Amino acid sequence: AEYMRLSNREYYAKGTAFGVEGDFITAPEVSQMFGELIGLWLTDQWMRMNRPDNCHYVELGPGRGVLAADALRCMARFEFEPRITFVENSEALQEVQAAYVRSAQIIADLDELPDDGPLLIVANEFFDALPVQQIVATHSGWRERVVASGKAGQFMAMPGTAPMDNLVPSDFRNAPPSSIYEISPDTGTVMYEIAGRLARQGGTMLVVDYGYLLPGLGSTLQAVKNHQQVDPFENPGECDLTAHVNFLEIANLARMRELRVSGPVEQGAWLKELGI
């Protein structure tokens, strides 16, 4: 988890990840219709809340700001002009976002979120970049998968020494050696904080990501460079590290705060229902 955290911090600090000239393309960069439909969906949510005038549009990890620009343009057609907050800790990306959406307030920490009105939160391919902790089955029990430096300075993953059996659900405890179980403590921390905000202030949250509906075994860690998959343990800080998102965990954390959960539903189906 710490390897992934440090690698992505260095990688996003460069601010060159997105687009054809970068390493990967996200849905807002493919077509403006993606952001426009999200804007219309959020406008509908705002209307259902009786059009509060102190509403905030919040985007977690907004990339270059493309999604927000498309969404806000559609909102304005219905005289909905929420205050805008971006949550971004890369200074390089903050500069790009400030140029793309000039009215946005950009913060680096969830503690700085506005607390004076409902929040309409968008997290598009945000949670998949949060660190995952991998636990691997060995002949001696379950151990955290750690990253070590081998010969010639090459990084490699290997089992650690501390027992981790208590973090593995009982259904998977007897899995064969080399089986991997993933958890994301950072996801839990972020989602629990956001769900608490929504419970207190009102609003809604839209999470769009690659993920799964039920926990299972196997590594979902992947690295992308120049639009190609590469070895996650080569050149840390030079490629984008992601892992699939546990949507059941996200939903359960929301339910713990007594929020209503809809979905998950496949992205294509959701867009078609909205009229794409």
Side-chain angles (χ1 to χ4, degrees), residues 170-207:
S170 57
D171 291 349
F172 303 137
R173 292 269 175 88
N174 295 322
S178 299
S179 298
I180 292 175
Y181 180 71
E182 288 182 345
I183 59 175
S184 177
D186 288 40
T187 293
T189 299
V190 169
M191 190 61 210
Y192 194 69
E193 167 66 19
I194 289 172
R197 290 273 191 162
L198 290 173
R200 294 191 301 271
Q201 297 174 225
T204 192
M205 181 180 188
L206 175 68
V207 178

Side-chain angles (χ1 to χ4, degrees), residues 222-245:
Q222 65 176 4
V224 174
K225 179 71 175 175
N226 294 325
H227 305 276
Q228 302 290 328
Q229 286 198 352
V230 296
D231 187 336
F233 303 108
E234 287 186 8
N235 303 314
E238 298 294 329
C239 55
D240 176 48
L241 296 184
T242 62
H244 285 197
V245 175

Side-chain angles (χ1 to χ4, degrees), residues 98-114:
Y100 219 98
V101 184
R102 297 184 182 278
S103 56
Q105 176 193 16
I106 304 177
I107 61 176
D109 195 286
L110 291 175
D111 291 340
E112 302 173 61
L113 282 174

Side-chain angles (χ1 to χ4, degrees), residues 64-187:
R64 297 195 296 193
V66 175
L67 189 159
D70 292 336
L72 293 164
R73 184 175 62 252
C74 277
M75 293 177 188
R77 289 166 51 192
F78 297 89
E79 299 181 349
F80 177 31
E81 297 183 356
R83 284 172 281 178
I84 306 158
T85 299
F86 289 164
V87 182
E88 178 61 66
N89 55 25
S90 164
E91 293 184 2
L93 284 174
Q94 286 180 358
E95 292 183 11
V96 176
Q97 294 156 8
Y100 219 98
V101 184
R102 297 184 182 278
S103 56
Q105 176 193 16
I106 304 177
I107 61 176
D109 195 286
L110 291 175
D111 291 340
E112 302 173 61
L113 282 174
D115 58 6
D116 61 343
L119 305 175
L120 300 181
I121 303 173
V122 176
N124 177 57
E125 295 195 38
F126 168 78
F127 284 103
D128 67 346
L130 296 185
V132 289
Q133 184 178 14
Q134 293 189 333
I135 307 170
V136 59
T138 72
H139 291 289
S140 302
W142 290 85
R143 301 290 186 266
E144 182 175 16
R145 200 173 184 220
V146 300
V147 179
S149 178
K151 294 179 180 179
Q154 176 67 39
F155 288 109
M156 58 184 181
M158 59 186 294
T161 58
M164 292 284 178
D165 301 71
N166 62 319
L167 294 181
V168 179
S170 57
D171 291 349
F172 303 137
R173 292 269 175 88
N174 295 322
S178 299
S179 298
I180 292 175
Y181 180 71
E182 288 182 345
I183 59 175
S184 177
D186 288 40
T187 293

